[in-house]
Amino acid sequence: VVGPGDIIVGDADGVVVIPKSCEDELFAKMDAFIRGNGCFGKIAARALEKGIPMTQEPALAEMFARKYENPEAYWREYESWWAKWSQVEGYADVESSKGTAAFYSK
């Protein structure tokens, strides 16, 4: 359900509705969300380049599980997800790596 004042964001892959009641929290956590979501995309691009299904890549599989467990507010999970995975060998360079998070654009 979309209500007055809700934030609606969309692209070619779909639309997300953020309730107005979450607006303050969203803006407070926006940087962490963008950072984590961008790293998710870069990890996904690496996995696809290697021929690894995204659901079999450990970091991505964990985020998919978080999304499944909390579909209404999974965006809150990116900060803690990336805080964990950025410390894991093989992922520490993701954030500073060149490339695009737009893994679906090829």
Side-chain angles (χ1 to χ4, degrees):
V1 177
V2 178
D6 288 354
I7 299 168
I8 301 172
V9 180
D11 64 15
D13 293 321
V15 176
V16 174
V17 177
I18 302 163
K20 182 165 179 48
S21 62
C22 296
E23 183 178 6
D24 290 340
E25 180 185 8
L26 171 69
F27 290 119
K29 294 184 176 186
M30 185 62 71
D31 289 339
F33 167 76
I34 291 170
R35 181 178 174 212
N37 187 266
C39 291
F40 179 94
K42 288 180 177 185
I43 294 168
R46 288 182 180 186
L48 292 174
E49 287 174 2
K50 294 176 182 176
I52 300 169
M54 292 193 308
T55 55
Q56 293 181 11
E57 201 292 326
L60 300 180
E62 180 181 312
M63 191 61 209
F64 285 134
R66 290 178 182 216
K67 287 182 178 185
Y68 180 78
E69 292 166 5
N70 193 10
E72 299 295 321
Y74 72 87
W75 61 272
R76 292 180 176 110
E77 301 290 329
Y78 278 102
E79 183 175 20
S80 61
W81 170 81
W82 183 239
K84 172 188 172 182
W85 286 97
S86 66
Q87 303 302 310
V88 175
E89 187 175 339
Y91 295 93
D93 70 326
V94 169
E95 192 168 3
S96 63
S97 67
K98 291 185 179 183
T100 179
F103 57 90
Y104 49 81
S105 64
K106 291 184 178 183

